Amino acid sequence: MENESKTRHAVVTGGSRGIGMAIVEALLKDGCDVWYLSRSEGETLAALTPLAQSLGKSLFWVACDMADRQGVETALDTVIKEAVTIDVLVNNAGITRDGLLMRMKDQAWDDVIAVNLTAAFLTCRKIGRLMAGQRSGSIINTSSVVGIMGNGGQTNYAASKAGLIGFSKSLARELSLRNIRVNVVAPGFIETAMTEVLSDNLKDTLKTQIPLGRIGSAGEIAEAVAFLASDRASYITGQVLAVDGGMAM
Ligand code: NAP
């Protein structure tokens, strides 16, 4: 079991906005020092540093393009040098490059797989080794309702998000005896920059497919992530927690 009376160290990819920023906030409030990795600093550092200070926690941004393998290695080396131990890893960085398969360019496939899936492989391998030595840790990978149900126009995205589920369940089995839990959060439609581009008409149609009848908030995903990261979820591993207003039930 993790000891939550001490400050935990958390790494969050894609923390510069949207769901990632909400996850950073939730983990700070839950007693973590947080390092977030993204290409841009976004508003997170400026907006959440006062909160971190008021809680006696630390918040750091490490510039990183998750599609750049060497860049990921270097960024994680920086974090590990500062943090020494890492208790929580959240793979949240993600992109879409939508289009019908018949017209999909190689680059649209490769970009999505690189950021959404290969980056999680890289971070889990490196931080998983560290956690294995510590004999403790919690990893949360961010999938999507689309990885469970599929969605026309998103074969690349669905492949990456479904891939994360199989990857996480396999890793959960590999790391369980080292006291490391690996779980997945699968958001439904959440109000962020990623969904801002959808037309109002499409949003209205989508709402009719959501049993709870509304689009979710980034904070609602962050609550689920913070729970799985914490000792409150100490007997949960290899699970996919859909936070989607009931879409995928
Ligand atoms: P968002 O607002 O577009 O934010 C994406 C985050 O990923 C940003 O912090 C971005 O930072 C980072 N990112 C993207 N490409 C990156 C790269 N190459 N290197 C490093 N960081 C990168 O998206 P969101 O809606 O918060 O989504 C967060 C996660 O939830 C994603 O994995 C997404 O697939 C998943 N999800 C979202 C929804 C939804 O409805 N919003 C639904 C299901 C699943 P920089 O641009 O600064 O690098």
Side-chain angles (χ1 to χ4, degrees):
M1 296 248 269
E2 297 137 35
N3 177 1
E4 286 179 28
S5 57
K6 73 172 175 65
T7 295
R8 291 174 296 150
H9 295 165
V11 176
V12 179
T13 73
S16 63
R17 60 174 180 270
I19 293 170
M21 181 173 169
I23 291 170
V24 170
E25 180 174 353
L27 290 176
L28 285 169
K29 286 179 178 165
D30 236 17
C32 296
D33 288 342
V34 182
W35 284 255
Y36 72 94
L37 276 55
S38 44
R39 290 164 303 175
S40 64
E41 183 180 304
E43 291 172 15
T44 305
L45 198 60
L48 296 182
T49 294
L51 172 73
Q53 285 171 344
S54 72
L55 294 167
K57 302 299 167 199
S58 301
L59 174 61
F60 307 93
W61 169 58
V62 182
C64 181
D65 180 350
M66 300 305 295
D68 171 7
R69 284 175 181 246
Q70 191 49 53
V72 173
E73 286 288 323
T74 306
L76 291 179
D77 281 338
T78 302
V79 175
I80 290 167
K81 201 170 163 206
E82 288 174 7
V84 183
T85 57
I86 294 176
D87 306 285
V88 177
L89 166 64
V90 183
N91 278 299
N92 162 80
I95 57 168
T96 52
R97 295 282 182 271
D98 296 352
L100 295 174
L101 180 70
M102 301 301 160
R103 291 200 283 269
M104 189 174 286
K105 301 268 190 288
D106 287 5
Q107 197 65 51
W109 177 270
D110 291 345
D111 287 352
V112 167
I113 298 297
V115 176
N116 296 7
L117 186 56
T118 306
F121 152 68
L122 295 170
T123 60
C124 286
R125 186 175 60 183
K126 194 166 179 91
I127 294 184
R129 281 181 189 141
L130 187 72
M131 288 177 168
Q134 295 167 191
R135 293 287 193 278
S136 69
S138 176
I139 297 173
I140 298 102
N141 292 325
T142 310
S143 179
S144 165
V145 65
V146 169
I148 299 170
M149 298 173 70
N151 193 26
Q154 291 199 305
T155 49
N156 51 357
Y157 185 74
S160 70
K161 295 300 187 180
L164 269 180
I165 293 175
F167 170 79
S168 302
K169 290 187 178 201
S170 304
L171 188 61
R173 290 180 186 276
E174 288 186 16
L175 295 181
S176 53
L177 291 180
R178 306 291 180 105
N179 191 32
I180 300 164
R181 297 180 294 102
V182 184
N183 290 291
V184 174
V185 166
F189 283 97
I190 308 301
E191 196 83 61
T192 68
M194 190 176 269
T195 49
E196 209 172 65
V197 292
L198 304 178
S199 70
D200 287 343
N201 266 353
L202 183 56
K203 282 187 187 167
D204 287 341
T205 310
L206 286 170
K207 277 185 213 163
T208 65
Q209 297 162 13
I210 304 171
L212 286 181
R214 64 174 177 84
I215 292 174
S217 71
E220 289 174 311
I221 305 302
E223 280 301 319
V225 171
F227 165 68
L228 289 171
S230 77
D231 201 29
R232 309 193 291 284
S234 56
Y235 203 49
I236 302 177
T237 195
Q239 299 305 306
V240 180
L241 179 53
V243 186
D244 62 0
M247 274 185 91
M249 71 172 128

